[in-house]
Structure formats: structure tokens, C-alpha cells
Amino acid sequence: MMEKLIITVAPTGAATTREHTPYVPLSPKEIADSVYESWKEGAAIAHIHVRDHKGDNTLELDTYKEVIDRVQDKCDIILNLTTAGGIGMDDEARLRVCELNPEMATFDAGTMNFGQGVFHNTPVFLEQLAAITKERQIKPEIEIFDVGMIHNTLRIAKKGLIETPLHFQFVLGIHGGMPATPKNLMFLIDSIPEGSTWSAIGASKDQLTINTMSILLGGHVRVGMEDSVYYRKGELATSNAQFVKRITELSTALGREVATPNEARKILGLDKLKRNTLLTSVSNIQSQNLV
């Protein structure tokens, strides 16, 4: 019998703009409201990117904190903060995201061409990020865009910097990464250590196909406007909750129950008390000249 399905919602991302869709949430309030609506439809994890007042990517801790506070006032969803932000972000700023002590944070496991840019994740940076997440008991969501990134992760884990069981997020369909095909998804699943958990993304038009395969194969899923703005061909999704509701209904129809946030915490091995100490006071961070 398969464990319950964990649904992650990625409401904003680094690249989706109002030119792509008028419905993408950009302000802290819009992001938090979208997360809350997605939680009501069955999302257990929210993968958070934040934007500044111009709509550009930012790693400012005050902006993260506003989103966190607004979400926690309404629900118990697991917050997974991006440590990437977007292409070209400063390594020190990326590491500072961990000062907020989220339950989860992204670990993009290698450098790659990404669209028209290069997404830099050097071995030195990855070891620093792994060490900080381990020290702060933050669960890394290991984002895999190509199979070599699995081996990068296993080398770092062998040094004792990432604790098992590992949790992988397969990101398929990005220009510069592995195409979103069933064959590639199966290959990645077969390439990770036994006992690991995994989730998968199919970017753009491949979102629903990869989501459906993940449900059937015992993995977990991510949906949201970070990955696709269309609900179906030619029809924009009007909310992130709309994507989540479809997966909840599909998984239920296929005989697989959807996990609550606390059930997801158990599946992923998260500290049940972590949510009560989710972030360090921003005033303390400022006093340390980290903001």
C-alpha cells in the first residue's frame, strides 16, 4: 500500500511574471493568500520564492518573514524556502535564507544551463549549504535537474553533511535539464538510494503527465504557477489552488489518499517541534548585520 501523497504548491517561482499570467501572486499578501487557499485544497508543503515591490526576485529576509507570518497565522502548511531566488543571486544572500530556520529549504544540486542563463551551484557552495541546513535541522529538498546532480548529492552525503533519508525533487522539462519524459523519470527514480523519498515536476505542458506518473509510482507531486500557468491547453489557471484541487481529486480517484501537513512531516522525517521555532527573530538577525 502506497504512503499518502504529499502535494507541494509552488505559487510564484523566479521567472513567472504578470506578462505570463495576471493571476501569479507576487506581493507577500498575495503569496500567503495563495498558499492558504492551496492548503485548503490539500497542499502540505509550500515552496516559497519572494519578489520585491517591482516584482523582481529577492532574498530579503524581511520579505520572507512577512510571507511566513501571514501563512502561519492561517495554517500549518510546511514552508520550504528557496535558497536560489533566481539566476545570478549572491551566494552569501542565498545562505542567509537558512537564518530563518524553515522546516525545509531547497538544495539545487549542481550548476547547469538554465534557459538563457547559467545557474551556478559550485561544490564549495553546496557543501556550505549542506552544513548549514544540517546544523539548523533544516530538511534539504534536493532539486535534481539532471542525473549528475544525484551523484553530486551522494558525494556530499558521504561526507556526513546531508542526513538520510534523502528527499529528492526531480525537476523535468527545464531548458538545460532533462526532458520531461516517462523514461527519464523512471531513470531518476532508479538512480536514488533505497529508502529515499521523491517528488517530481513536469514544467509547462508536461506538468499533469509527470504528476500523474508520480501518483501511480508512489512518489509525490509539485504543482503551481512556478512550473506552469496553464490549467489546460489555451486556458490559464486562475489560482494555484486550482492546480492543487485537480491533483487531490485525481489522486483520490486513483485510490491514493492525500497527506495532511503533519502526515507529510512524518513521511519526510521532519522534527514535529520544528514548526514552533520556524524562524529566528529578524531583529536578532539585523543586530548581527546579516540583513
Side-chain angles (χ1 to χ4, degrees):
M1 183 176 179
M2 292 184 187
E3 63 191 3
K4 292 185 178 182
L5 178 75
I6 300 171
I7 302 175
T8 295
V9 63
T12 304
T16 307
T17 70
R18 290 278 162 80
E19 292 182 358
H20 297 118
T21 174
Y23 304 109
V24 62
L26 298 180
S27 72
K29 182 180 186 304
E30 290 170 345
I31 293 169
D33 287 347
S34 185
V35 168
Y36 175 58
E37 294 300 321
S38 298
W39 169 80
K40 289 196 294 185
E41 294 294 348
I45 301 174
H47 171 56
I48 303 297
H49 285 252
V50 292
R51 308 286 184 90
D52 63 19
H53 68 281
K54 296 179 181 178
D56 296 329
N57 294 315
T58 183
L59 293 170
E60 287 295 327
L61 300 190
D62 283 341
T63 309
Y64 275 114
K65 184 179 184 300
E66 183 177 349
V67 173
I68 292 168
D69 286 345
R70 287 178 177 276
V71 170
Q72 289 191 311
D73 281 345
K74 292 185 174 183
C75 66
D76 66 343
I77 198 167
I78 298 165
L79 293 176
N80 171 22
L81 304 186
T82 178
T83 63
I87 300 296
M89 294 297 213
D90 177 74
D91 282 358
E92 290 186 9
R94 294 175 64 185
L95 294 173
R96 280 199 295 268
V97 172
C98 296
E99 297 289 340
L100 294 172
N101 290 336
E103 291 187 86
M104 299 181 74
T106 58
F107 184 91
D108 297 280
T111 296
M112 61 177 292
N113 291 339
F114 197 107
Q116 298 299 309
V118 179
F119 185 18
H120 289 280
N121 294 284
T122 66
V124 170
F125 171 76
L126 291 177
E127 290 195 10
Q128 290 175 325
L129 178 57
I132 290 171
T133 55
K134 181 180 179 181
E135 177 185 1
R136 291 182 170 272
Q137 296 185 304
I138 300 166
K139 179 83 172 184
E141 182 204 53
I142 303 163
E143 296 207 352
I144 302 296
F145 297 79
D146 210 336
V147 67
M149 295 185 183
I150 295 175
H151 300 287
N152 291 344
T153 301
L154 297 183
R155 282 192 291 270
I156 294 172
K158 191 174 181 180
K159 294 182 178 182
L161 295 175
I162 305 177
E163 295 182 347
T164 58
L166 305 175
H167 178 64
F168 294 93
Q169 181 72 264
F170 301 136
V171 186
L172 299 173
I174 300 296
H175 295 301
M178 294 180 76
T181 66
K183 184 176 181 180
N184 283 341
L185 178 59
M186 293 297 297
F187 179 61
L188 291 175
I189 295 167
D190 289 342
S191 300
I192 61 176
E194 185 175 353
S196 301
T197 53
W198 62 271
S199 175
I201 300 159
S204 190
K205 64 180 179 61
D206 298 305
Q207 180 171 255
L208 185 57
T209 299
I210 297 300
N211 289 162
T212 304
M213 285 192 64
S214 299
I215 294 169
L216 294 171
L217 293 171
H220 306 286
V221 304
R222 188 178 98 176
V223 295
M225 292 185 186
E226 175 170 350
D227 306 320
S228 180
V229 299
Y230 287 98
Y231 187 73
R232 58 176 61 91
K233 187 175 181 179
E235 179 186 333
L236 289 172
T238 58
S239 70
N240 284 287
Q242 187 180 10
F243 285 127
V244 175
K245 182 179 180 181
R246 177 167 66 180
I247 294 302
T248 298
E249 292 175 347
L250 175 61
S251 189
T252 300
L254 292 171
R256 189 172 174 192
E257 294 183 56
V258 172
T260 66
N262 281 335
E263 289 170 335
R265 289 181 174 95
K266 184 175 180 180
I267 292 168
L268 297 173
L270 298 175
D271 183 348
K272 293 180 181 179
L273 300 177
K274 186 75 172 179
R275 188 168 62 88
N276 295 326
T277 56
L278 181 62
L279 53 87
T280 301
S281 168
V282 168
S283 62
N284 289 340
I285 295 170
Q286 289 172 331
S287 70
Q288 298 171 35
N289 296 318
L290 294 175
V291 177

